[in-house]
Amino acid sequence: MKSSAVKDKVLETATRLFYGQGYNLTGINQVIDEAGVARGSLYYNFESKTDLLLTYLDKCSRFWFEEIDKFLLPIESPREKLLGLFDFEVLFQERLNFGGCPFIKITSEVGSQYESVSAEVKQFKLTFKQYISDLVKDAHIQGFLSDEELTDMIFFLLDGVDVSSTIFSSTEQILKARKIVNKLL
């Protein structure tokens, strides 16, 4: 198997395992066995389990932004794109069977144990917040909240409904948050 195919197979396996059963419960031997690769092949492509985790988080980040861009692309109105963030969250949670945000899950598992992992999670969240901020600025909302306050509120609501929809296995909280934001817009 070519090195890129091995790397893809290991990353695909690690993605499934890290998301499904957690990072701490996933041993490197399990990744090797389920990916069907040699130990040396894994370590040729990834220096360590932490390196594999960082690659997984990068993959999750790229996937998230590619998917949200595709979802929002047909929506012309910046205001409707802001509401579309909640519609995308519904789709995302349903698609992942209410498994939750991979970044929140990893943070709850490893916390600040690995500085590089914490930095990757923070970068994802900051990039997403900037994404929201750009949509808010494009929408030119003239309300009682500043653009920064509206950005913060939408960001906090999306993070909150991500957690609550996972806990309750329901999109109800996401739809309620969407309704609140719609009233504010």
Side-chain angles (χ1 to χ4, degrees):
M1 215 183 297
K2 289 188 175 187
S3 178
S4 63
V6 169
K7 185 174 185 174
D8 290 345
K9 184 72 172 163
V10 168
L11 184 56
E12 176 186 310
T13 302
T15 297
R16 179 176 47 79
L17 294 172
F18 289 169
Y19 188 80
Q21 70 187 33
Y23 175 75
N24 290 332
L25 293 177
T26 301
I28 207 69
N29 289 334
Q30 183 183 13
V31 174
I32 290 167
D33 290 345
E34 293 194 24
V37 300
R39 180 176 295 279
S41 295
L42 181 135
Y43 285 113
Y44 177 80
N45 289 287
F46 302 97
E47 292 178 16
S48 64
K49 185 179 173 188
T50 305
D51 184 41
L52 181 55
L53 174 60
L54 290 169
T55 305
Y56 157 72
L57 290 173
D58 179 63
K59 177 184 175 183
C60 290
S61 179
R62 284 184 285 110
F63 177 77
W64 171 265
F65 287 110
E66 287 169 8
E67 290 297 303
I68 203 164
D69 282 343
K70 271 193 276 184
F71 185 83
L72 296 179
L73 184 64
I75 303 171
E76 291 185 27
S77 161
R79 180 186 178 283
E80 291 301 316
K81 283 184 188 262
L82 285 168
L83 296 172
L85 294 172
F86 294 90
D87 300 332
F88 179 75
E89 183 68 27
V90 166
L91 178 72
F92 189 75
Q93 284 293 338
E94 288 175 340
R95 186 184 301 168
L96 294 175
N97 200 27
F98 301 99
C101 171
F103 295 92
I104 293 172
K105 289 171 81 160
I106 288 299
T107 299
S108 69
E109 276 198 83
V110 301
S112 59
Q113 181 181 0
Y114 302 107
E115 191 175 312
S116 57
V117 173
S118 292
E120 187 74 25
V121 170
K122 286 176 188 173
Q123 185 57 54
F124 170 78
K125 292 295 185 177
L126 289 172
T127 302
F128 185 50
K129 189 173 181 182
Q130 184 59 53
Y131 190 95
I132 296 167
S133 177
D134 292 344
L135 291 175
V136 166
K137 287 175 186 166
D138 288 347
H140 304 290
I141 311 270
Q142 300 298 318
F144 64 93
L145 295 176
S146 68
D147 284 357
E148 183 178 349
E149 291 169 328
L150 184 57
T151 297
D152 284 343
M153 187 201 67
I154 293 171
F155 176 74
F156 298 147
L157 279 172
L158 284 166
D159 255 6
V161 297
D162 202 349
V163 173
S164 62
S165 64
T166 300
I167 291 168
F168 296 108
S169 295
S170 168
T171 60
E172 182 181 354
Q173 290 76 23
I174 303 168
L175 297 173
K176 285 180 180 180
R178 185 190 194 283
K179 193 180 276 190
I180 291 167
V181 171
N182 189 37
K183 283 184 177 183
L184 288 171
L185 299 180

